[in-house]
Amino acid sequence: MNAFEKCPSATFEKIQQQDGTALQSKSLKKRSTGTPWWELQVSDADMRKVERTELVRMLEQLLLIREFEERLLDLSTAGILHGPAHASIGQEGAAVGAMSALGSTDKINGTHRMHHQFLAKALNHAAPKGYSPLETPFPEELVDVLFKTYSEILGLSTGYCGGRGGSMHLRLPEAGVLGSNAIVGGNLPHAVGYAFADKQLGRKDISVAFFGDGAMQNGATYEAMNLAALYRTPTVFFVENNLYAVSTHVSEQTREHRLAARGQGLGIPSIEFDGMDVIAARRAMELARQIIDDEGGPVLLEAKTYRYLHQSGALKGSAFGYRDKEEEEAWGLRDPATAFPAQLEKLGIIEAGAAETLKERVAEAVRNVLERLVENYGDEQRQKIRASLWPDPSRVEEGIRGDLKELAGQKHREVEDIEEKDRIEAKFIDVISQTMLRNMEKFETLFVLGEDVHRLRGGTAGATRGIAERFPDRLVGTPISENGFTGLALGAALNGMRPVVEIMYPDFALVAADQLFNQVSKVRHMFGGDFAVPVVVRSRVSQGTGYGSQHSMDASGLFALYPGWRIVAPCTPHDYIGLMNAAVACDDPVLVVEYSDLFQERGMIHATDWDYVVPFGKARIARPGNSCTILTYGPMVSTCCAVSERGGFDAEVIDLRTIDPLGVDWETIAESVRRTNALMIVERTTRGTSIGSRMVSDAQSRLFDWLDHEIIHVSGTESSAVVSKVLEEAAFAGAEAVEEALKQLVRRQQMAA
């Protein structure tokens, strides 16, 4: 059976052929979705509609990308390339054709196999106006694209991302390439986010997500396609069906081999076409754009194509035994690098020998570039990377997070700074929604998304109360698809917006783990570190409410494992306002932890002026003392203060406020420990997901000279919370655990004395 055909089973055929008796008895009626699904076929007439200069440029691109990758594979075989080489050889035609229908401001992203799409988009962007390859010398602008792309793939400082992205993470935002992705399916939600931002901001651009047949089976793909359809974003889902996910044939991945059919169930118009045909790809992208302009998005395009080599490297798939040489030879006869120039020559668009001239021209350009990057290029025994081009190892951590210059000039305020006449008392839960509402008035690009945030008079906890009435278009209620809508938020952030994501319960962060940790946390650093990623995640911790093991987590410890995240845990209404203001204005990803234990608590705030920030990395002394230092956060701040008062312990309680490892206020902590010579870290959460263990380690190395004995770490048990009230209380640390730890500390101090 042809891999691109789907034959109905014998049962279905039998039903279709019956004379109606069985159908009537079962009341079966044939249904259709009403969503169009087309097979595109092109002819010579479609090619003739394209200007000759454009066709010749497409031909040069096609040959250049082929030459680029073949020489890259040579470097890989020679051991010059560090890392994988996922060549697109065989698939270049679809990339060149599709990219010819896009402008520089149209956005794209792709997968680990994206050299062809990246180069086509970058070359189109860089090409001088009116450039005609057969009449003009090879432009320096295109040489620069080759040089910087090779540099990036080779891991050199002269690459687009300073060598950090390499082959699988390519980014050139001025050309509309906002970042390729090595996680299968991970890029699709970002493209939906790009398009969502463009639609919200009134731009007419489209965004294209390139992916393969393997990613089509991924949950992130379904979530992304559903979100795009739901919000009618101008997104094109471009699946390169090359038949194999590494070595697994499409027939082993899915029962429905025709991947364009996936659009039917989601209301997405679909077009399938010959992905080996450059003009078919161009025409498919033109039609997708027309559909989006006329009807709104998204559109699904299926390019039926073939990669000539294995998943990575220079060998063919047959060398690994998962496909046969006959299949490879049959597809080889349709090679766009030979079929496209032959068609152009047949139609008289280029003269005989023109393609060979272009081949020689691009080969020379590639060779000249590689000679600038590799000493003794071509000499297998002596060639090596030019040492001067390697990145400076001392800069390895640059770009993990920004320098907070965007917060420079912001007014800082502590609650003690508010004059008595300007103070009012406020409930914690009320300032959550009011702070967000005020920020939405301040930042036109800010929007809130999450499950049920637009309903229930302010979401499930009242945190968005009043926003729907003021900003209905910027309060986005989502399906249950944490991975999808978190990825959408990242894509929107990379395209000019400031999303605030509500994760209904912290445990659900695990469902979105790829986007939160592989993507949001790493994206700035791996792409060079010189751009903003303004994503805020609000996480409501509901410990003690009887919601059981899968709804009671504090995920702060998970986020703390990924240094791209800043993490704040306000425990007073005043601090919530200031820390959320800072989070929204920050160009780094920020997790704002909200404890339901605190929602009904009251505290003093300024009556009218909420335009201030509490700086990241600045702790506060919640209770002065001299006998020991307690580091804590969230609801345990008041607990530690109360236990110290009740038990007569002269403890200094420090509310950390910023709790990510790189943001802890060690200056304030050190000043305290120099006086007390004793340190205790207190947190309510379970031991395994705590942040305290890292803090103990860091404190030991920083404060050892001033500590009279070991650091005490108070936390919950190893067990997750369960529904039983008494077992739930036992799982988390409370006042009794703090009091016992303080007594233990006093005993140690007495023994030491």
Side-chain angles (χ1 to χ4, degrees):
M1 182 177 66
N2 186 307
F4 286 120
E5 293 179 355
K6 174 70 172 68
C7 296
S9 71
T11 301
F12 293 154
E13 287 182 332
K14 182 178 180 181
I15 291 175
Q16 291 168 2
Q17 294 170 2
Q18 287 177 3
D19 61 5
T21 305
L23 295 179
Q24 291 174 5
S25 64
K26 295 182 179 180
S27 300
L28 289 175
K29 295 182 179 179
K30 188 175 181 180
R31 302 296 300 271
S32 62
T33 65
T35 299
W37 170 15
W38 300 283
E39 180 182 5
L40 172 65
Q41 296 181 343
V42 295
S43 65
D44 291 346
D46 293 286
M47 180 174 283
R48 292 187 185 279
K49 292 177 183 177
V50 184
E51 291 184 4
R52 176 184 179 278
T53 300
E54 179 76 9
L55 291 169
V56 177
R57 284 176 56 178
M58 292 162 68
L59 174 59
E60 182 183 63
Q61 272 187 19
L62 181 64
L63 299 174
L64 180 56
I65 295 168
R66 176 65 61 89
E67 178 71 16
F68 182 99
E69 289 206 303
E70 287 179 342
R71 300 294 74 79
L72 180 65
L73 292 173
D74 290 343
L75 295 176
S76 178
T77 302
I80 301 295
L81 173 65
H82 180 65
H86 299 97
S88 61
I89 293 174
Q91 300 181 200
E92 309 97 329
V96 169
M99 235 56 71
S100 72
L102 300 178
S104 292
T105 58
D106 293 316
K107 287 82 181 173
I108 71 166
N109 65 22
T111 69
H112 53 281
R113 191 185 316 284
M114 198 195 178
H115 302 157
H116 52 330
Q117 292 135 1
F118 178 84
L119 283 168
K121 193 73 159 64
L123 291 166
N124 282 337
H125 170 73
K129 188 175 181 180
Y131 170 56
S132 180
L134 291 174
E135 285 81 34
T136 317
F138 196 79
E140 283 301 314
E141 294 91 335
L142 303 192
V143 172
D144 190 57
V145 170
L146 297 178
F147 179 79
K148 289 182 178 178
T149 307
Y150 266 131
S151 295
E152 185 58 40
I153 294 172
L154 292 171
L156 307 181
S157 61
T158 46
Y160 285 112
C161 306
R164 294 182 180 186
S167 174
M168 298 189 289
H169 306 111
L170 296 165
R171 174 179 164 87
L172 183 58
E174 55 266 39
V177 187
L178 299 190
S180 57
N181 204 291
I183 302 297
V184 172
N187 63 300
L188 280 85
H190 305 166
V192 179
Y194 310 157
F196 182 91
D198 281 334
K199 183 177 179 181
Q200 287 287 105
L201 298 173
R203 302 168 182 153
K204 295 300 182 183
D205 304 320
I206 66 172
S207 296
V208 187
F210 290 91
F211 59 107
D213 48 285
M216 184 60 91
Q217 323 312 327
N218 189 287
T221 299
Y222 172 83
E223 292 186 20
M225 291 173 66
N226 186 53
L227 289 168
L230 182 64
Y231 305 136
R232 293 186 173 272
T233 63
T235 313
V236 177
F237 296 100
F238 193 109
V239 56
E240 296 175 294
N241 187 352
N242 65 25
L243 297 178
Y244 293 91
V246 185
S247 62
T248 304
H249 193 271
V250 67
S251 63
E252 300 172 284
Q253 301 175 50
T254 176
R255 183 173 180 175
E256 175 55 86
H257 307 165
R258 301 168 301 175
L259 302 185
R262 301 300 170 88
Q264 296 287 287
L266 294 171
I268 301 176
S270 306
I271 303 171
E272 60 182 84
F273 63 94
D274 181 0
M276 309 300 278
D277 189 319
V278 178
I279 299 303
R282 176 187 172 95
R283 185 65 184 136
M285 188 63 75
E286 289 175 336
L287 289 170
R289 175 164 234 136
Q290 181 181 334
I291 292 168
I292 289 172
D293 287 344
D294 293 344
E295 306 291 337
V299 177
L300 171 62
L301 302 181
E302 180 189 0
K304 299 175 180 178
T305 186
Y306 199 76
R307 58 171 164 82
Y308 288 159
L309 303 178
H310 179 53
Q311 163 79 351
S312 178
L315 296 177
K316 293 186 176 182
S318 55
F320 297 87
Y322 62 85
R323 60 189 190 194
D324 55 49
K325 292 182 179 179
E326 290 76 15
E327 177 185 293
E328 291 174 339
E329 290 170 358
W331 279 94
L333 297 175
R334 302 176 57 202
D335 186 351
T338 55
F340 188 53
Q343 189 178 10
L344 291 174
E345 190 173 322
K346 184 189 76 170
L347 296 178
I349 295 170
I350 61 172
E351 296 178 356
E356 287 302 315
T357 299
L358 290 175
K359 282 184 183 179
E360 293 172 4
R361 170 187 168 101
V362 300
E364 180 182 10
V366 167
R367 183 173 62 254
N368 290 340
V369 164
L370 289 174
E371 286 175 351
R372 294 165 57 190
L373 297 169
V374 181
E375 289 183 21
N376 306 309
Y377 175 66
D379 184 334
E380 294 185 3
Q381 301 302 316
R382 300 172 56 228
Q383 62 184 354
K384 61 179 181 180
I385 296 291
R386 294 188 183 277
S388 62
L389 300 178
W390 289 116
D392 181 354
S394 68
R395 302 180 64 183
V396 65
E397 289 190 337
E398 286 186 9
I400 291 176
R401 50 172 71 186
D403 58 8
L404 297 180
K405 62 180 179 296
E406 65 274 16
L407 299 183
Q410 295 270 12
K411 177 171 57 183
H412 298 179
R413 178 190 290 153
E414 299 293 344
V415 70
E416 295 82 8
D417 301 331
I418 307 173
E419 294 185 24
E420 191 69 33
K421 64 181 179 61
D422 294 324
R423 294 186 178 191
I424 61 169
E425 191 177 62
K427 189 185 293 186
F428 198 108
I429 185 61
D430 293 336
V431 303
I432 291 178
S433 57
Q434 286 301 306
T435 301
M436 189 55 58
L437 185 58
R438 289 173 182 238
N439 274 289
M440 295 185 82
E441 293 169 347
K442 182 177 181 180
F443 294 97
E444 293 182 356
T445 58
L446 190 153
F447 71 102
V448 178
L449 72 164
E451 295 156 11
D452 294 304
V453 295
H454 61 322
R455 294 283 189 265
L456 307 176
R457 298 178 181 176
T460 55
T464 55
R465 186 177 296 117
I467 295 176
E469 292 76 16
R470 292 286 306 281
F471 301 105
D473 294 337
R474 290 160 57 193
L475 184 62
V476 183
T478 66
I480 299 175
S481 53
E482 283 82 1
N483 201 50
F485 67 69
T486 303
L488 183 157
L490 173 56
L494 295 175
N495 197 21
M497 298 200 75
R498 291 187 174 272
V500 176
V501 180
E502 179 176 307
I503 303 290
M504 187 182 290
Y505 290 92
D507 310 69
F508 302 170
L510 292 169
V511 183
D514 174 48
Q515 294 298 332
L516 290 170
F517 306 133
N518 267 328
Q519 313 291 346
V520 177
S521 175
K522 298 177 182 179
V523 65
R524 169 182 269 179
H525 182 260
M526 74 182 183
F527 284 127
D530 60 350
F531 56 94
V533 189
V535 176
V536 175
V537 170
R538 292 180 43 246
S539 178
R540 174 165 57 98
V541 180
S542 297
Q543 294 170 348
T545 59
Y547 267 74
S549 295
Q550 295 176 335
H551 285 68
S552 302
M553 181 185 193
D554 182 343
S556 304
L558 287 179
F559 283 79
L561 295 174
Y562 296 86
W565 283 100
R566 297 183 186 274
I567 309 172
V568 294
C571 71
T572 69
H574 170 88
D575 285 357
Y576 185 90
I577 295 169
L579 288 169
M580 179 55 84
N581 287 345
V584 169
C586 183
D587 285 341
D588 293 325
V590 183
L591 172 70
V592 180
V593 189
E594 302 168 356
Y595 293 91
S596 59
D597 279 354
L598 299 172
F599 282 3
Q600 301 308 313
E601 297 294 316
R602 293 179 175 273
M604 302 308 297
I605 64 170
H606 197 287
T608 57
D609 184 4
W610 291 22
D611 190 18
Y612 67 93
V613 300
V614 170
F616 297 130
K618 183 61 178 174
R620 74 177 178 96
I621 306 298
R623 180 185 189 276
N626 294 294
S627 67
C628 72
T629 301
I630 299 177
L631 307 184
T632 189
Y633 57 93
M636 295 306 283
V637 174
S638 59
T639 298
C640 289
C641 290
V643 170
S644 297
E645 291 288 340
R646 186 173 62 244
F649 300 103
D650 188 21
E652 180 150 285
V653 179
I654 297 180
D655 175 10
L656 292 168
R657 299 197 291 197
T658 299
I659 60 176
D660 58 88
L662 299 186
V664 172
D665 184 0
W666 288 108
E667 183 178 345
T668 297
I669 295 167
E671 191 280 329
S672 178
V673 171
R674 288 190 188 102
R675 289 185 290 101
T676 67
N677 307 119
L679 182 62
M680 180 187 301
I681 295 172
V682 176
E683 49 191 341
R684 181 165 165 74
T685 190
T686 55
R687 194 77 167 190
T689 54
S690 74
I691 64 170
S693 297
R694 167 68 183 267
M695 293 189 65
V696 168
S697 174
D698 289 351
Q700 187 76 4
S701 62
R702 289 172 175 268
L703 308 173
F704 182 81
D705 290 344
W706 294 283
L707 292 170
D708 289 342
H709 42 74
E710 71 269 28
I711 301 167
I712 295 178
H713 180 196
V714 178
S715 73
T717 65
E718 299 290 351
S719 65
S720 298
V722 292
V723 173
S724 169
K725 185 174 183 179
V726 294
L727 292 177
E728 182 180 39
E729 290 176 355
F732 300 121
E736 296 81 0
V738 175
E739 184 173 7
E740 180 55 37
L742 282 169
K743 290 178 180 178
Q744 180 185 354
L745 187 60
V746 170
R747 289 195 294 270
R748 291 180 181 179
Q749 289 173 324
Q750 291 171 344
M751 291 175 61

